Amino acid sequence: MSHRCRTILLLGASGFIGSALLTRLKQDGYFVTGVVRDPKAAARLPLDRAIGLDLRSATGADKWLDALSGVDAVINCAGVLQDGARDSTDAVHVDAPAALYEACERLGISRVIHFSALNAEQKPLSEFSESKRQIEHILAASRLDWVILRPSVVVGHNAYGGSALFRGLAALPLSVRLPRAGRISVVQLDDVVETVIRLLRPDSGGRIALDLAGPRPLTFDAIVTRYRAWLGWKPARPVTVPSAAMRVGSKFGDLAGRLGWRPPVRSTGTSEMLRGAEGDPAGWNRVTAIVPRSLEQALAAEPASVQERWFARLYFLRPLAIVIFALFWITTGIISLTIGWDIGVSYMQESGAGALSQPSVIAGALADIAIGLAILYRPTTRWGLIGGVAITLFYLIAGTIVLPRLWADPLGPMLKIWPILALNFILLAILEER
C-alpha cells in the first residue's frame, strides 16, 4: 500500500470491536462510512456517513457500489456467533463479504482489513469456524491488498460477548469451574484497535494473516478468577460444571438464539470454548511492533467502578427476569382461560359488564399471552414491555373505577401492580445489549 488511506468503510461499526475502532479512527482524522443494520445504533455513533444495510441481503456486488463511493480502504469487523432469528453466519461471514470484496476489485479499492478468528484455518468445529475459513480462502485468492486479523477472545473496558460473560460468571456466588475448557490467550481491545491503525499506514505491508493473541494463555477458570478479584470480591467456593450441564445450557442458549437473542453460551460458543483460543503473538509483534498487554496489566490499569459491579451482577439476572416476566404474562392469560375463568367472569359481572363479561375475560387473557410472547421474542421485546406497561395501567385505572373494593383485598391484587410496573421499567432500562 503506497498511499495513505483517509476514507474508510467500516462494517460492524456498532459492534464491540467496530465501535471502539470507530472512535479511534475519528480521533485520528479519518472520514468513516459505517455499515449498520439498526438505524438507532447509527444515530449514537460518530459516523460521517451511515449506510443502513442488512448483510443478509447484501450478497451481490452491486449492493456495495454506493457504500464504496470515495472509499480508500475497507475494514470488516462484522460477525455473528451462530445462526438465529436475526443472524446468518453464511450470509454475514461469507456471502456478503465475498460480494463486497468483488465490488472492491471492480472499483480498484485494494486495501482490506478483514477480521476472522483464531483457529479459523484449523479444522472447523461449527458453521462459525467453517464460514470464517471459507472467506479467508476467498480473500486470499483475490487481487486485493488484504490483511486478515485472527483475534483470540477480545476483552476490554466495554463488555460484550466473552468480555461480558467473564464479568457475569465472576459475579456468581459460586465459582464455576469448566475443567474441559481449553486455554485462552485473551487479547485486549485497545491492542486490536491499535493494530488496525498501524496497518492503515502507508507501506504497512499486505497479503498477510496475523494471529492476535495475548502474551500468555490462561485457563477459563483463571480468567474468571482475575475478573472477580478486579471487581473487588473475595474468592468464591468452586463448583465443577459437568459436561451434561454444559450441553443442556447450550441447548437453552440455542433456543434463545432462535428467538432472536444472542447469548454467548450456545452450541457454537461451547464448542469453541472446549477447543480454546491459544495463540502466539510473535508474528503480530514482528509486523506491527505491538507488545500485547496481559489481562493482569489491563485490569490493573483501570480499577472496576460501581457500574462494572452492577453490570456483572445483572448479567445473568437480566435474562432470568425476562423469562420469568414473560412466563408471568403467559401464565396469567392461561389461568384466566382455564381454572380462573369463573373468578374472572364474576369480576366482570360485578363491574356491570353484563353480556360482555365473557368476551372481556377472553380479550384480556389473549392480550396477556400476546404480551408474554412478545417479550420472549427479541425483535418485539421492547414493544411487549411497552404493551405490558399500557395494559397494566389500564387494569389499574379500570379496576379502581369499576371495582374499588379490590384495593382492600387482603391478597393485594391492585397493590401488586406497582412492582409489576417497576419491573417493566427496569427491563426497558437494561434491554440494550451493546
Side-chain angles (χ1 to χ4, degrees):
M1 183 177 63
S2 59
H3 68 282
R4 184 172 178 82
C5 302
R6 299 309 308 174
T7 304
I8 308 295
L9 178 67
L10 177 63
L11 277 68
S14 63
F16 177 56
I17 296 175
S19 58
L21 180 56
L22 169 61
T23 300
R24 177 62 186 278
L25 288 169
K26 292 302 300 172
Q27 289 174 351
D28 287 7
Y30 288 90
F31 184 98
V32 183
T33 296
V35 175
V36 293
R37 180 166 57 176
D38 182 3
K40 293 180 181 178
R44 62 175 180 263
L45 296 172
L47 291 167
D48 296 291
R49 182 186 179 209
I51 302 291
L53 191 61
D54 189 333
L55 297 189
R56 293 175 296 179
S57 62
T59 54
D62 293 342
K63 293 275 189 178
W64 291 100
L65 298 181
D66 176 61
L68 289 169
S69 177
V71 165
D72 298 318
V74 171
I75 304 172
N76 183 5
C77 302
V80 298
L81 178 66
Q82 188 170 318
D83 289 350
R86 296 186 289 165
D87 301 313
S88 167
T89 49
D90 282 342
V92 174
H93 294 165
V94 183
D95 300 334
L100 169 62
Y101 301 151
E102 179 185 340
C104 287
E105 288 186 312
R106 287 190 198 176
L107 298 175
I109 302 169
S110 63
R111 190 57 161 181
V112 168
I113 298 177
H114 174 88
F115 275 83
S116 185
L118 201 66
N119 301 322
E121 78 284 4
Q122 297 180 11
K123 181 180 178 181
L125 296 179
S126 61
E127 292 179 353
F128 170 84
S129 51
E130 171 61 20
S131 62
K132 290 290 189 180
R133 186 185 65 84
Q134 287 182 25
I135 193 58
E136 282 197 16
H137 290 175
I138 292 171
L139 188 55
S142 73
R143 301 188 303 274
L144 300 174
D145 182 32
W146 50 264
V147 174
I148 294 172
L149 300 180
R150 299 176 181 143
S152 177
V153 176
V154 182
V155 297
H157 180 69
N158 295 334
Y160 186 72
S163 183
L165 178 62
F166 292 138
R167 287 167 163 84
L169 289 171
L172 294 177
L174 297 174
S175 178
V176 175
R177 303 296 190 196
L178 304 174
R180 293 184 58 208
R183 298 198 301 174
I184 304 172
S185 302
V186 292
V187 61
Q188 297 302 313
L189 178 60
D190 290 345
D191 291 336
V192 174
V193 169
E194 179 63 27
T195 298
V196 175
I197 296 301
R198 295 190 185 189
L199 291 171
L200 287 172
R201 295 171 182 169
D203 304 315
S204 60
R207 302 186 71 82
I208 52 174
L210 300 176
D211 289 348
L212 308 187
R216 64 187 182 92
L218 298 169
T219 65
F220 192 93
D221 304 341
I223 296 171
V224 174
T225 298
R226 281 161 174 75
Y227 269 101
R228 185 172 180 86
W230 175 67
L231 289 164
W233 297 322
K234 296 178 180 179
R237 179 178 297 178
V239 57
T240 300
V241 178
S243 299
M246 290 184 64
R247 289 193 296 269
V248 171
S250 297
K251 296 301 180 183
F252 277 109
D254 292 345
L255 175 60
R258 286 192 285 272
L259 292 173
W261 300 90
R262 293 177 176 135
V265 181
R266 285 181 272 176
S267 296
T268 297
T270 300
S271 297
E272 298 294 339
M273 186 189 304
L274 294 177
R275 173 162 64 179
E278 187 174 348
D280 182 357
W284 176 21
N285 173 259
R286 185 171 58 253
V287 172
T288 65
I290 289 175
V291 178
R293 290 183 303 160
S294 68
L295 178 61
E296 295 85 351
Q297 289 173 323
L299 294 179
E302 192 164 7
S305 64
V306 65
Q307 290 86 355
E308 293 285 358
R309 289 188 284 275
W310 275 30
F311 176 87
R313 289 190 175 108
L314 285 170
Y315 184 76
F316 288 109
L317 289 177
R318 173 178 172 270
L320 179 63
I322 288 171
V323 170
I324 289 175
F325 201 41
L327 292 179
F328 159 77
W329 283 104
I330 294 170
T331 304
T332 299
I334 293 173
I335 290 174
S336 296
L337 293 174
T338 55
I339 58 176
W341 172 261
D342 291 338
I343 297 174
V345 172
S346 67
Y347 277 152
M348 295 308 301
Q349 289 175 341
E350 183 182 348
S351 71
L356 295 177
S357 296
Q358 291 187 0
S360 297
V361 172
I362 293 173
L366 294 179
D368 289 353
I369 293 171
I371 287 171
L373 294 175
I375 291 172
L376 281 179
Y377 186 54
R378 182 61 184 90
T380 59
T381 300
R382 181 170 295 277
W383 290 110
L385 292 171
I386 293 172
V389 171
I391 199 169
T392 300
L393 291 174
F394 171 78
Y395 290 154
L396 177 67
I397 295 170
T400 301
I401 294 173
V402 300
L403 285 174
R405 71 170 182 81
L406 291 177
W407 284 100
D409 190 310
L411 295 179
M414 300 300 284
L415 292 175
K416 290 173 182 175
I417 284 177
W418 300 112
I420 292 173
L421 280 173
L423 182 56
N424 250 303
F425 288 123
I426 290 170
L427 289 177
L428 281 167
I430 63 174
L431 188 58
E432 292 182 9
E433 297 167 293
R434 56 187 179 190

PDB file of all heavy atoms in Angstrom, residues 114 132 244:
ATOM      1  N   HIS A 114      -9.561  -7.488   7.250  1.00  0.00           N
ATOM      2  CA  HIS A 114     -10.674  -8.410   7.500  1.00  0.00           C
ATOM      3  C   HIS A 114     -10.467  -9.126   8.830  1.00  0.00           C
ATOM      4  O   HIS A 114      -9.410  -9.713   9.077  1.00  0.00           O
ATOM      5  CB  HIS A 114     -10.753  -9.445   6.372  1.00  0.00           C
ATOM      6  CG  HIS A 114     -11.777 -10.513   6.605  1.00  0.00           C
ATOM      7  ND1 HIS A 114     -13.092 -10.378   6.217  1.00  0.00           N
ATOM      8  CD2 HIS A 114     -11.697 -11.728   7.212  1.00  0.00           C
ATOM      9  CE1 HIS A 114     -13.759 -11.469   6.557  1.00  0.00           C
ATOM     10  NE2 HIS A 114     -12.937 -12.299   7.172  1.00  0.00           N
ATOM     11  N   LYS A 132     -15.725 -18.728   8.625  1.00  0.00           N
ATOM     12  CA  LYS A 132     -14.514 -17.913   8.736  1.00  0.00           C
ATOM     13  C   LYS A 132     -13.410 -18.458   7.830  1.00  0.00           C
ATOM     14  O   LYS A 132     -12.663 -17.697   7.189  1.00  0.00           O
ATOM     15  CB  LYS A 132     -14.038 -17.893  10.195  1.00  0.00           C
ATOM     16  CG  LYS A 132     -14.928 -17.101  11.152  1.00  0.00           C
ATOM     17  CD  LYS A 132     -14.858 -15.621  10.894  1.00  0.00           C
ATOM     18  CE  LYS A 132     -15.556 -14.813  11.977  1.00  0.00           C
ATOM     19  NZ  LYS A 132     -15.502 -13.354  11.734  1.00  0.00           N
ATOM     20  N   ALA A 244     -22.630 -32.696  30.945  1.00  0.00           N
ATOM     21  CA  ALA A 244     -24.063 -32.778  30.629  1.00  0.00           C
ATOM     22  C   ALA A 244     -24.754 -31.448  30.887  1.00  0.00           C
ATOM     23  O   ALA A 244     -25.619 -31.020  30.109  1.00  0.00           O
ATOM     24  CB  ALA A 244     -24.715 -33.881  31.462  1.00  0.00           C
TER      25      ALA A 244
END
